[in-house]
Amino acid sequence: MSKPTLLVLAAGMGSRYGGLKQMDPMGPNGETILDYSVFDAIRAGFGKVVFVIREDFAEAFKEGVGARFSDRIEIDYAFQKLDDLPTGFSVPDDREKPWGTAHAVRAARDVINEPFAVINADDFYGANAYQTAADFLNTLGNESTDYAIVGYYLKNTLSDHGGVNRGICTADSNGLLTNVEEVIDISRKENGTVSGTGLDQNEREVSEEDIVSMNFWCFSPAYFQQTEAHFSAFLAEHLNTPKSECYIPTVVDDFVDKGQATCKILPTTSNWFGVTYPDDKPLVVAAVSALIANGEYPSQLS
């Protein structure tokens, strides 16, 4: 059986943070978030890493990022191209950005032939998350439509420096995803409760034990075939909306609603850390130092 692949969505890197943020040091010896992601993937048993990037910075990425890992694990690349569309569709003149995370995953359809996990390049997911994903993917056949999402306890994704937006997952009695509810500006209040604002604009209390999505998905290669019909339907409706995007959760929700796939929630005990803006960096650096002090990572990655 082939080892699973890790698909890293890196095409949008730098747009908000200012530069190649995946190369910004977070560890004590200059390690980046991607260094820790690949380290965790290797020790969890992944056999290949595929980076989805833009063609315009391909050489810089391969030399500055990909080369860091080429002696440790098989590396491949896929390009998210604005004009990479299903037959019958062409790019409108006023379209500038690619078509979202579902489009980014689709870009890797010709370089992945085994079960795979999908992550964001700029998120720190933690060792247990990768092991949880690998254990699931190792049971998944190439034609299976039993997918999964690695879910985080809300308490492990909160910030001490402001509210966060999270998709709160609901599962049925079999642990299968039935709904993802977007709640914004979630924070812990002075009285210890946790609350945020629902899409109905009303404040609602949430549990810190709720499971939330941080865009860590597990699929088989069958996903690529399935998503063509969904993406074509999306384009048929939104092609001429300049900023419309097709997102992974929307695709999965559609599959589940139509009975075309299931999505198991895989809870992880890992903490999640994200770097969206420059001010986030000191928080992640401190968190990584704490993980090293607790023995979860060596001080020098190998």
Side-chain angles (χ1 to χ4, degrees), residues 85-232:
L85 301 176
T87 302
F89 296 95
S90 58
V91 181
D93 292 339
D94 57 351
R95 183 78 191 193
E96 297 179 359
K97 295 180 61 178
W99 306 88
T101 54
H103 182 237
V105 173
R106 180 180 177 273
R109 63 193 181 278
D110 293 329
V111 295
I112 294 180
N113 300 296
E114 57 282 316
F116 63 100
V118 181
I119 65 166
N120 295 330
D122 49 0
D123 291 350
F124 189 106
Y125 288 100
N128 179 260
Y130 289 93
Q131 191 62 63
T132 298
D135 290 344
F136 173 82
L137 291 168
N138 284 328
T139 70
L140 201 62
N142 281 2
E143 302 302 321
S144 176
T145 55
D146 295 328
Y147 305 139
I149 181 173
V150 178
Y152 285 73
Y153 293 100
L154 177 60
K155 64 184 179 183
N156 292 337
T157 73
L158 292 175
S159 171
D160 294 330
H161 301 272
V164 297
N165 302 341
R166 298 287 181 259
I168 297 179
C169 300
T170 302
D172 64 16
S173 59
N174 296 314
L176 299 177
L177 181 71
T178 57
N179 184 55
V180 179
E181 179 188 3
E182 292 295 328
V183 180
I184 65 173
D185 199 26
I186 301 173
S187 62
R188 192 183 305 278
K189 310 307 178 185
E190 290 184 2
N191 64 2
T193 62
V194 180
S195 64
T197 302
L199 294 183
D200 59 2
Q201 304 305 311
N202 292 320
E203 184 173 353
R204 53 160 296 192
E205 187 171 327
V206 295
S207 170
E208 64 179 11
E209 300 297 327
D210 281 342
I211 297 293
V212 299
S213 165
M214 303 309 298
N215 211 39
F216 195 143
W217 300 90
C218 299
F219 299 120
S220 77
Y223 173 89
F224 293 119
Q225 285 74 46
Q226 278 192 301
T227 197
E228 281 298 290
H230 179 98
F231 189 51
S232 293

